[in-house]
């Protein structure tokens, strides 16, 4: 569906990662969220590819990428493990330094990447998230109600896996249709791909392992970094959907000041949570402006 992009599968030290690459110019890595694949950038990547070499991947456990074991502590799906995959993918493609954008879970992978491998990321665009360290230490009724799936997905194996797997198409439609627009802004073929991948019980299990890691090993890493005063040092752009949970319930730019020392842009996009699919023109323009800035 991404015409002109080349699909490959790159073996990292931890997983086989589905990768699509297109365009020419400085490298930009785009990372998706839950429960998506690289196709969440379908409406953004082609335009950016006019000026950049655009790399879109399926995160480990998602889409058609490999789904390795999470381990007893679920660290196989920590943001550290996911970030290392992405760094190795870019190195395999010949990019030792690159721009990056991440939405939802991809934004959390990018946050960890900026802390673990700051020499790799030149500029980081983080889309529609609040740091999980802040969220899990400031749980509110509003956030818990809106983000109920966080607490559902972390329940012990195999309760959430069985419940989501009982009717995966119904579940994914119910989860994604958060607004009056329903599913109308999703590309039909991309939505069909999301459903296809979500029907795989291994994908559902990997998603649960991702969230289980967030409440355990990821939070432990974040706490150590926060207490040590470690922040993202590269230039950061924050984007969020004006009518989504972040836009309604949080002061994103204020919260992120405790986690990033060089926020050069912070703005709302006229959308809910799914910026690249609800408001692709605004999202693409903001990313292009950020990545071309000097």
């Amino acid at each position: 569906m991404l015409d002109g992009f080349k699909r490959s599968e790159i073996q990292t030290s931890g997983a086989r990662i589905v990768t699509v690459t297109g365009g020419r110019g400085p490298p930009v890595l785009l990372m998706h969220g839950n429960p998506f694949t690289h196709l969440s950038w379908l409406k953004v990547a082609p335009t950016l590819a006019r000026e950049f070499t655009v790399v879109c991947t399926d995160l480990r456990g998602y889409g058609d990428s490999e789904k390795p074991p999470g381990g007893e502590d679920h660290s196989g799906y920590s943001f550290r493990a996911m970030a290392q995959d992405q760094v190795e993918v870019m190195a395999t493609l010949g990019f030792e330094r690159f721009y990056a954008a991440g939405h939802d879970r991809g934004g959390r992978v990018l946050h960890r990447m900026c802390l673990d491998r700051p020499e790799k990321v030149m500029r980081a665009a983080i889309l529609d998230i609040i740091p999980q360290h802040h969220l899990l230490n400031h749980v509110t009724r509003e956030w818990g109600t809106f983000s109920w799936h966080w607490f559902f997905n972390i329940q012990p194996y195999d309760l959430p896996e069985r419940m989501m797997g009982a009717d995966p198409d119904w579940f994914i439609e119910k989860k994604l249709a958060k607004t009056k627009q329903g599913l109308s802004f999703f590309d039909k073929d991309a939505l069909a791909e999301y459903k296809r991948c979500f029907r795989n019980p291994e994908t559902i299990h990997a998603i649960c392992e991702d969230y289980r890691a967030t409440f355990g090993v990821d939070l432990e890493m974040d706490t150590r970094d926060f207490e040590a005063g470690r922040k993202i040092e590269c230039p950061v752009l924050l984007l969020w959907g004006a009518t989504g949970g972040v836009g309604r319930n949080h002061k994103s730019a204020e919260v992120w000041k405790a986690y990033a020392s060089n926020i050069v842009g912070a703005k709302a996009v006229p959308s809910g949570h799914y910026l690249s699919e609800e408001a692709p023109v605004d999202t693409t323009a903001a990313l292009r402006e950020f990545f071309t800035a000097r």
Side-chain angles (χ1 to χ4, degrees):
M1 281 181 272
L2 279 166
D3 292 339
F5 280 66
K6 178 182 178 181
R7 179 186 172 106
S8 61
E9 297 187 4
I10 295 176
Q11 185 66 50
T12 73
S13 59
R16 174 186 45 78
I17 302 298
V18 168
T19 305
V20 297
T21 309
R24 182 179 299 175
V28 173
L29 171 64
L30 303 179
M31 294 177 286
H32 65 83
N34 169 45
F36 301 123
T37 72
H38 66 274
L39 288 176
S40 68
W41 300 104
L42 179 65
K43 301 176 184 178
V44 173
T47 301
L48 289 180
R50 297 171 188 168
E51 299 174 82
F52 301 95
T53 300
V54 177
V55 180
C56 306
T57 61
D58 292 352
L59 298 174
R60 72 160 59 189
Y62 289 82
D64 288 321
S65 284
E66 190 175 358
K67 296 151 182 68
E72 290 187 7
D73 63 353
H74 319 293
S75 59
Y77 287 88
S78 67
F79 295 128
R80 172 166 287 166
M82 291 186 180
Q84 183 61 27
D85 286 336
Q86 303 300 306
V87 167
E88 292 182 29
V89 164
M90 295 303 279
T92 298
L93 295 172
F95 305 125
E96 293 301 327
R97 301 190 73 219
F98 47 86
Y99 302 123
H103 170 253
D104 188 79
R105 308 307 283 181
R108 303 186 188 286
V109 173
L110 180 52
H111 184 185
R112 173 48 55 189
M113 185 188 297
C114 289
L115 293 176
D116 283 358
R117 304 299 299 274
E119 76 282 5
K120 297 293 183 179
V121 184
M122 295 185 288
R123 284 178 166 253
I126 297 176
L127 279 59
D128 212 63
I129 64 166
I130 299 296
Q132 64 267 4
H133 175 268
H134 176 88
L135 290 173
L136 297 180
N137 281 286
H138 300 84
V139 174
T140 65
R141 181 180 63 188
E142 290 78 13
W143 179 68
T145 301
F146 185 78
S147 298
W148 57 270
H149 62 284
W150 284 56
F151 302 95
F152 173 66
N153 287 354
I154 67 169
Q155 297 308 307
Y157 176 82
D158 60 351
L159 185 144
E161 284 92 340
R162 280 181 176 266
M163 294 181 73
M164 286 189 278
D167 193 344
D169 282 10
W170 176 87
F171 185 89
I172 199 170
E173 287 187 4
K174 192 73 173 178
K175 183 178 184 302
L176 297 182
K178 293 181 177 180
T179 67
K180 293 180 180 179
Q181 294 173 278
L183 302 171
S184 63
F185 49 78
F186 287 105
D187 178 272
K188 291 182 179 179
D189 291 332
L191 183 59
E193 275 293 281
Y194 303 153
K195 289 181 178 179
R196 178 187 68 81
C197 294
F198 196 71
R199 291 181 196 127
N200 182 351
E202 292 185 4
T203 300
I204 293 176
H205 177 58
I207 289 172
C208 292
E209 289 292 273
D210 173 6
Y211 282 82
R212 289 166 181 145
T214 302
F215 277 66
V217 292
D218 286 321
L219 182 58
E220 292 170 5
M221 294 180 213
D222 294 342
T223 300
R224 289 194 296 269
D225 286 334
F226 186 80
E227 291 176 349
R230 296 187 66 223
K231 299 182 181 183
I232 300 175
E233 299 295 339
C234 71
V236 170
L237 170 67
L238 301 174
L239 296 178
W240 61 88
T243 59
V246 172
R248 295 197 318 271
N249 298 323
H250 304 279
K251 295 182 179 179
S252 182
E254 291 301 312
V255 171
W256 272 100
K257 287 180 181 178
Y259 300 89
S261 61
N262 190 12
I263 300 172
V264 299
K267 62 186 294 186
V269 170
S271 76
H273 178 53
Y274 307 112
L275 282 70
S276 64
E277 301 189 83
E278 294 182 59
V281 173
D282 297 87
T283 302
T284 304
L287 292 176
R288 180 194 174 276
E289 180 182 6
F290 176 59
F291 290 137
T292 56
R294 295 292 180 266

